[in-house]
Amino acid sequence: TDATNESGFSGRPGGGRYNGGTFSDVGSVGRWWSSTQTSMTMAWYGGLDYSSGGVNRNDYFKVDGFSVRCLRD
């Protein structure tokens, strides 16, 4: 609710799809993959928590599904 969108990024809370096929956190958390991996099985993601306004960065298993943000040069 305190968002200003000054960065120009209007992230939507798409949640995630986990390896077993279940979806989680749709409507409450947004997570976007980074192109940087931390190992052969893990990569960085950035996250936004819509209930707390929190922002985080962590690594997670690449077999799971998060949103992807496409940028144009």
Side-chain angles (χ1 to χ4, degrees), residues 29-53:
V29 175
R31 295 183 182 104
W32 293 266
W33 283 121
S34 164
S35 60
T36 307
Q37 64 181 9
T38 59
S39 71
M40 291 300 293
T41 60
M42 300 182 83
W44 288 112
Y45 76 86
L48 299 173
D49 184 319
Y50 287 80
S51 61
S52 71

Side-chain angles (χ1 to χ4, degrees), residues 3-23:
T4 63
N5 196 27
E6 27 185 301
S7 69
F9 176 57
S10 298
R12 304 285 186 223
R17 182 183 183 277
Y18 299 99
N19 192 24
T22 59
F23 289 84

